[in-house]
């Protein structure tokens, strides 16, 4: 039961990440590969504030998300000049840079040793330590993220984002400041990624740079593409399947010597099959150009 | 292994000379192939405009298959050369491919001399960088260089001019 709830909490955190990346990748059509870097910034900011200054995790969560949003401006900047593969590569590069800062700035982040003993959330004297309480908290944040992202994409703002995705020059001709919208969308995405990172840090109570590698960004992008780009429900489906499915493969009853590699192989094969049969993702309407 | 040769105060082993010679040779052959051979010309045509090239009787699918095969064979050769010098592991390709992409962007995409130049530039910049700061920052240096190049000179040092228009 404990295990099941743990998986659900992790799924919830990934749903937040997937929803926010979907805003950047699915709706605005900017291939960004640095999403784990934002959650890294959020996680480290709120944990360091809590550990060094005894700040409440709630405040840390907010500050962490805001700092991630600020970094979003920096990472969003190349998107004004670069397109397609080059933008993917530049954001990938930012992901690597943030990762190596977290790993090498030992005096601040303790580097590969990580930060142990991060305090958990608490309301008054009541500590959110039971796993089901945490699940409720994460579910609340997932719901909030869903509401905000839904509000964003179903507004005139969201229509401009779709316009940037479909035809940037046409949107520009309509008199929309495309650059401003691109930066804003990066900031919103980064803000929610920061929240997800902070939630993760205060849940696991230990973070180290290896949780925020660029592979993690690729996994999140995979969830977006798998569930469907430009689809809110798709983000839920994509994140849930890609987290829960590998766990289900655990119960196939294979001998342990071949179970782990076989799991990876089945997982990879399914991804290839899905991309061949349904390149727009399970619930997506928009296809990668 | 034998002791290396002394060359301008540095030590270089037979294996390292072999690696240098083979990689230089392969690069020259590849460059000649792309510039001169019919198949190489067809590849450049497909990369320029696949529809127009199919009009003049080139099968873009076939060319793409062949270029994938040649590229993979060269990557295999690179892997063999690396394995002569260092130990190997299943995930060793990831780093090489990233550095390869960075080097080809620095040098200029679509230019083989550019790719060689970019590779040397990146390798030297990385290793001079960690001479002064810790070795952990190596990847960071590479990607900072990449981002600077993408923003300031996206066509690379020796890149073709049209690349700038595409970006």
């Amino acid at each position: 039961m404990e295990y099941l709830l743990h998986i659900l909490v992790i799924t919830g955190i990934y749903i937040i990440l997937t929803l926010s990346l979907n805003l950047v990748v699915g709706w605005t059509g900017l291939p960004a590969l640095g999403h784990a870097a934002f959650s890294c910034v959020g996680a480290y900011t709120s944990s360091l504030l809590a550990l060094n200054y005894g700040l409440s995790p709630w405040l840390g969560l907010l500050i962490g998300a805001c700092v991630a949003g600020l970094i979003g401006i920096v990472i969003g900047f190349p998107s004004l000049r670069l397109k397609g593969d080059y933008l993917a590569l530049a954001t990938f590069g930012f992901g690597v840079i943030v990762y190596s800062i977290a790993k090498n700035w030992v005096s601040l982040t303790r580097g590969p040793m990580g930060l142990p003993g991060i305090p958990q959330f608490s309301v008054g004297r009541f500590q959110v330590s039971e796993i089901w309480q945490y699940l409720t908290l994460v579910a609340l944040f997932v719901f909030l993220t869903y509401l905000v992202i839904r509000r964003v994409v179903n507004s005139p703002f969201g229509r401009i984002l779709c316009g940037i995705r479909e035809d940037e020059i046409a949107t520009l001709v309509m008199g929309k400041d495309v650059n401003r919208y691109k930066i804003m969308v990066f900031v919103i995405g980064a803000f929610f990624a920061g929240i997800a990172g902070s939630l993760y840090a205060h849940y696991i109570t230990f973070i180290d740079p290896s949780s925020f590698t660029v592979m993690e960004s690729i996994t999140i992008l995979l969830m977006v593409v798998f569930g469907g780009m430009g689809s809110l429900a798709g983000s839920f489906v994509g994140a849930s399947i890609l987290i829960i499915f590998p766990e289900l493969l655990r119960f196939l009853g294979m001998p342990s010597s071949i179970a782990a590699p076989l799991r990876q192989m089945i997982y990879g094969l399914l991804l290839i099959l899905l991309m061949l049969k349904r390149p727009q993702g399970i619930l997506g309407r928009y296809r990668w150009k | 292994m034998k002791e290396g040769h002394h060359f301008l105060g540095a030590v270089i082993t037979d294996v390292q000379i072999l690696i240098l010679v083979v990689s230089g040779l392969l690069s020259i052959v590849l460059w000649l192939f792309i510039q001169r051979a019919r198949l190489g010309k067809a590849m450049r045509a497909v990369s320029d405009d696949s529809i127009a090239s199919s009009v003049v009787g080139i099968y873009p699918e076939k060319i793409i298959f062949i270029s994938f095969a040649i590229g993979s064979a060269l990557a295999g050769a690179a892997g063999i050369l690396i394995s002569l010098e260092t130990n190997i592991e299943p995930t060793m390709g990831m780093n090489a491919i990233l550095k390869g992409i960075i080097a080809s962007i620095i040098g200029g995409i679509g230019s083989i001399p550019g790719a060689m130049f970019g590779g040397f530039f990146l390798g030297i910049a990385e290793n001079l960088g960690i001479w002064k700061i810790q070795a952990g920052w190596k990847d960071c240096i590479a990607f900072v260089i990449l981002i600077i190049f993408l923003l300031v000179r996206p066509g690379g040092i020796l890149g073709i001019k049209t690349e700038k228009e595409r970006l």
Side-chain angles (χ1 to χ4, degrees):
Chain A
M1 195 61 194
E2 194 95 312
Y3 167 68
L4 198 69
L5 291 176
H6 169 76
I7 303 254
L8 285 177
V9 170
I10 295 293
T11 309
I13 290 171
Y14 271 100
I15 288 174
I16 298 177
L17 286 167
T18 311
L19 274 171
S20 54
L21 186 65
N22 208 341
L23 185 68
V24 181
V25 177
W27 270 283
T28 324
L30 303 169
L33 267 175
H35 220 56
F38 298 128
S39 67
C40 179
V41 170
Y44 267 96
T45 311
S46 85
S47 332
L48 285 172
L49 284 175
L51 285 174
N52 295 350
Y53 302 101
L55 206 68
S56 145
W58 298 103
L59 218 55
L61 180 103
L62 196 66
I63 297 174
C66 289
V67 173
L70 284 177
I71 302 288
I73 299 179
V74 179
I75 301 193
F77 180 68
S79 73
L80 308 181
R81 297 197 53 176
L82 303 172
K83 279 196 182 63
D85 306 344
Y86 294 91
L87 176 61
L89 209 58
T91 48
F92 188 100
F94 269 117
V96 173
I97 291 169
V98 169
Y99 169 73
S100 52
I101 289 174
K103 198 170 153 191
N104 290 309
W105 194 352
V106 178
S107 59
L108 181 74
T109 64
R110 283 171 41 91
M113 290 173 291
L115 294 170
I118 300 164
Q120 290 175 315
F121 286 104
S122 55
V123 183
R125 239 175 300 151
F126 171 73
Q127 259 221 339
V128 187
S129 51
E130 289 285 324
I131 200 158
W132 64 268
Q133 295 162 337
Y134 210 87
L135 183 62
T136 324
L137 184 75
V138 169
L140 197 73
F141 272 101
V142 170
F143 187 60
L144 268 174
T145 313
Y146 170 72
L147 284 184
V148 173
I149 303 279
R150 196 185 67 173
R151 185 80 189 88
V152 166
V153 297
N154 290 333
S155 64
F157 183 85
R159 274 199 295 283
I160 295 167
L161 299 186
C162 292
I164 295 174
R165 178 184 79 196
E166 298 298 335
D167 193 333
E168 195 179 320
I169 294 170
T171 316
L172 206 62
V173 171
M174 298 283 198
K176 305 296 178 196
D177 188 351
V178 169
N179 287 354
R180 211 183 96 220
Y181 285 98
K182 280 184 179 175
I183 294 278
M184 275 166 85
V185 95
F186 261 101
V187 171
I188 299 171
F191 183 85
F192 284 104
I195 288 182
S198 174
L199 281 175
Y200 175 82
H202 293 289
Y203 169 60
I204 303 284
T205 66
F206 171 81
I207 51 170
D208 68 338
S210 69
S211 316
F212 307 101
T213 56
V214 179
M215 286 316 286
E216 204 62 27
S217 301
I218 296 176
T219 309
I220 303 165
L221 184 68
L222 207 62
M223 288 169 182
V224 172
V225 178
F226 193 91
M229 287 195 281
S231 158
L232 284 169
S235 296
F236 282 84
V237 172
S240 312
I241 290 183
L242 288 192
I243 294 288
I244 295 171
F245 184 72
E247 302 294 336
L248 286 182
L249 288 178
R250 243 182 245 280
F251 299 108
L252 279 184
M254 290 174 290
S256 57
S257 58
I258 58 162
L262 207 61
R263 249 180 78 199
Q264 290 285 322
M265 279 160 74
I266 294 176
Y267 185 61
L269 204 65
L270 275 173
L271 284 178
I272 295 174
L273 277 179
L274 185 90
M275 284 301 111
L276 281 177
K277 295 290 169 202
R278 208 175 154 74
Q280 71 270 49
I282 293 175
L283 294 172
R285 282 158 299 169
Y286 165 63
R287 213 177 137 166
W288 199 282
K289 271 184 233 159
Chain B
M1 203 183 294
K2 275 192 303 176
E3 224 177 274
H5 309 279
H6 289 271
F7 176 72
L8 292 179
V11 181
I12 187 162
T13 60
D14 285 345
V15 174
Q16 285 168 335
I17 293 176
L18 180 77
I19 293 172
L20 271 176
V21 170
V22 172
S23 58
L25 222 62
L26 281 176
S27 310
I28 293 169
V29 169
L30 180 67
W31 186 73
L32 284 176
F33 173 76
I34 295 212
Q35 291 296 322
R36 300 285 162 80
R38 265 177 86 83
L39 206 55
K41 282 179 185 165
M43 277 175 194
R44 282 190 292 150
V46 171
S47 125
D48 247 15
D49 191 334
S50 70
I51 294 172
S53 59
S54 64
V55 168
V56 296
I58 299 168
Y59 289 103
E61 284 85 4
K62 203 176 113 192
I63 297 295
I64 289 169
F65 270 124
I66 294 173
S67 58
F68 254 99
I70 293 175
S72 312
L74 285 172
I80 294 169
L81 292 179
I82 293 171
S83 70
L84 292 176
E85 184 66 15
T86 58
N87 47 354
I88 56 174
E89 50 181 3
T91 53
M92 62 185 248
M94 190 64 191
N95 208 25
I97 202 168
L98 279 178
K99 295 290 160 65
I101 294 171
I102 299 175
S104 67
I105 286 181
I106 290 175
I109 291 212
S111 152
I112 300 235
M116 291 173 71
F117 181 78
F120 273 112
F121 181 83
L122 183 68
I124 292 169
E126 263 187 356
N127 289 301
L128 280 184
I130 60 169
W131 185 26
K132 291 284 175 202
I133 53 178
Q134 284 163 14
W137 296 98
K138 209 168 170 178
D139 286 347
C140 199
I141 295 170
F143 278 97
V144 167
I145 294 175
L146 168 78
I147 290 169
I148 291 172
F149 261 89
L150 280 176
L151 290 177
V152 177
R153 204 182 153 85
I157 296 172
L158 298 175
I160 32 180
K161 291 284 182 299
T162 51
E163 195 66 28
K164 211 163 194 173
E165 290 158 23
R166 250 185 61 203
L167 283 168

